[in-house]
Amino acid sequence: MARKKLATAWLCGCSGCHMSFLDLDEGLFDLTEKVEITATPIADLKEPPEVDIALIEGGVCNEENLRVLKLFRERAKVLVSLGDCAGFGCVPMLRNFFDKQDVLDRAYVEAESTALGKEPDEEVPKLLEKVEPIHHFVKVDAFIPGCPPEASAIRTAIEELAAGRLPEGKIDLQYE
Ligand code: SF4
């Protein structure tokens, strides 16, 4: 049976979910019998490839996150929220307790270590008003919870998806 193509990406996350995935160690070699890993954040691809399964880590914080997420949705048959930041917003959503402009001023105008005297015009993607989980923007087919998810849980989920099995029952994370 042909291997399924798998891509992983992180948006606004700490990369801990990907670190957990790497904790599979030699188990990653076993997985490659079932999936072909075609893209990861290490490759820093700007244009996601067409894949069978995409695992997305992190919340949606800025316009670049949103652009990448929408491309993955167009090009992946099955799109999975990897970890609580993708599923609920979790840690990056703490920014929502503050005014966006105050956050930008604190980072670029006031902080001694990074002060530019103004908000950068280019190079830094524009922040969205609020950080949101990925299902607020695109349809999500499955969710692997945890902060980070256990490596074994990620492996089991990938094996199930590679076998063509989606979680039974209703996925509560619905595109709104
Ligand atoms: Fe990091 Fe936890 Fe968020 Fe994963 S769910 S990106 S480990 S904070």
Side-chain angles (χ1 to χ4, degrees):
M1 191 170 63
R3 292 183 300 165
K4 295 280 169 62
K5 290 187 185 332
L6 170 76
T8 74
W10 76 54
L11 304 178
C12 190
C14 76
S15 79
C17 296
H18 274 76
M19 293 301 115
S20 185
F21 183 34
L22 292 178
D23 280 344
L24 284 173
D25 296 325
E26 64 272 12
L28 286 168
F29 292 106
D30 299 335
L31 258 189
T32 59
E33 294 174 7
K34 295 175 179 161
V35 292
E36 176 190 355
I37 302 175
T38 61
T40 72
I42 294 171
D44 195 24
L45 296 179
K46 300 298 182 207
E47 298 297 321
E50 302 266 350
V51 291
D52 297 293
I53 305 159
L55 303 185
I56 310 293
E57 170 189 326
V60 184
C61 294
N62 59 49
E63 291 177 357
E64 177 62 8
N65 292 159
L66 190 52
R67 183 188 78 84
V68 169
L69 175 63
K70 287 181 174 176
L71 282 174
F72 266 102
R73 180 64 279 183
E74 285 173 18
R75 297 175 185 179
K77 291 177 186 156
V78 173
L79 188 132
V80 181
S81 286
L82 175 63
D84 290 350
C85 289
F88 301 117
C90 197
V91 175
M93 236 180 177
L94 293 173
R95 196 252 286 170
N96 295 356
F97 290 101
F98 303 92
D99 176 77
K100 184 183 80 169
Q101 193 57 51
D102 287 347
V103 170
L104 290 168
D105 288 348
R106 184 73 182 271
Y108 295 114
V109 180
E110 298 162 12
E112 288 185 13
S113 59
T114 57
L116 297 172
K118 65 183 182 64
E119 186 182 334
D121 303 324
E122 300 173 355
E123 297 160 11
V124 178
K126 293 286 181 210
L127 292 184
L128 302 180
E129 283 303 318
K130 298 289 180 191
V131 179
E132 300 192 47
I134 68 174
H135 67 279
H136 283 191
F137 299 100
V138 299
K139 179 177 178 293
V140 170
D141 301 300
F143 174 40
I144 307 173
C147 178
E150 294 280 340
S152 59
I154 299 172
R155 175 178 177 158
T156 299
I158 292 173
E159 287 175 340
E160 288 295 294
L161 294 167
R165 292 188 284 271
L166 277 169
E168 288 185 9
K170 179 175 177 289
I171 301 279
D172 283 333
L173 301 181
Q174 295 294 330
Y175 173 40
E176 296 171 350

